[in-house]
Amino acid sequence: MSSTNIAPIDIRGIMELLPHRYPFLLVDRVLEFEPLVSIRAIKNVTANEPFFQGHFPGYPLMPGVLIIEALAQTAGLLLLMSKPKEELRNKLFLFTGLERVKFRRQVVPGDQLELDMVHVKNKMNVWKMDGTAKVNGNLVTEASLSGAFVDREQV
C-alpha cells in the first residue's frame, strides 16, 4: 500500500472526522492513506477496554463484532479523508452491509490491530471495500464491507 504526502493522522484528527467517541471509537491512528484507494490504521487493544469486563472474565478476548466495527470506522475514514469537507457537511457514513467475514485468530489485551481497507467499487452513493485486520502481520479478520453517506437529518 503506498501513501500520499498526507502525514499520519492522530486521534485528534480522527475525532474531527468520525462522530464516534469513547468507548466506541476504535481507531487510534491513520498510518497510510491514498485517496479513494486504500488506508492503513491501527487500534491499540488495552486491558482497560470496557468490553473485557464481560468478554470473558479471566480470559479477555476482543469481540469479533468490534473488530468488524474497527474496520468499518477505518473504511469511513478512507472516504471522509478522500472527499472535500464541504461535500460532507451534515453527512454521516453508515455501514450498510457485510460479506465474506472470516475470523482467523483471537485478539487479546496488548495486541495492536493493523487495519487495512481497500476501495473496491462504488455505485452512486454505495461504497464497497475489502478489509483485513492483522496482529503482528498475522491475519485476524477479513471482510467485505459496504456503506453509504446519508444526511444527518435522516438518522
Side-chain angles (χ1 to χ4, degrees):
M1 182 179 315
S2 64
S3 61
T4 64
N5 57 3
I6 296 174
I9 296 176
D10 65 11
I11 193 66
R12 289 181 302 272
I14 290 168
M15 290 174 73
E16 288 178 16
L17 293 165
L18 293 179
H20 307 78
R21 294 296 178 263
Y22 177 85
F24 215 68
L25 181 57
L26 298 174
V27 180
D28 293 325
R29 187 182 239 359
V30 174
L31 302 176
E32 297 176 21
F33 166 74
E34 189 171 347
L36 293 178
V37 175
S38 62
I39 189 169
R40 173 169 287 152
I42 58 169
K43 162 64 178 152
N44 294 306
V45 182
T46 73
N48 296 322
E49 306 285 352
F51 50 80
F52 285 138
Q53 289 181 337
H55 199 269
F56 297 99
Y59 193 77
L61 297 176
M62 184 173 186
V65 68
L66 293 181
I67 298 169
I68 295 297
E69 176 62 27
L71 287 169
Q73 289 178 21
T74 303
L77 285 166
L78 172 60
L79 297 178
L80 291 165
M81 291 169 60
S82 296
K83 298 199 158 273
K85 286 184 181 178
E86 58 275 359
E87 187 179 321
L88 300 174
R89 196 174 318 283
N90 297 316
K91 300 273 188 194
L92 286 175
F93 183 72
L94 298 181
F95 184 39
T96 61
L98 186 59
E99 299 177 60
R100 297 186 302 279
V101 178
K102 294 205 173 28
F103 297 103
R104 306 285 186 189
R105 330 187 86 158
Q106 298 170 346
V107 176
V108 298
D111 284 345
Q112 183 179 73
L113 276 177
E114 305 152 12
L115 306 160
D116 289 297
M117 294 301 302
V118 177
H119 173 246
V120 175
K121 66 181 179 178
N122 62 288
K123 186 172 184 180
M124 298 180 62
N125 194 35
V126 177
W127 300 79
K128 293 197 173 227
M129 289 166 267
D130 287 339
T132 60
K134 296 178 181 175
V135 172
N136 295 324
N138 296 311
L139 186 63
V140 169
T141 303
E142 57 189 320
S144 293
L145 308 171
S146 61
F149 285 102
V150 298
D151 292 327
R152 284 182 185 259
E153 297 83 41
Q154 291 179 337
V155 179

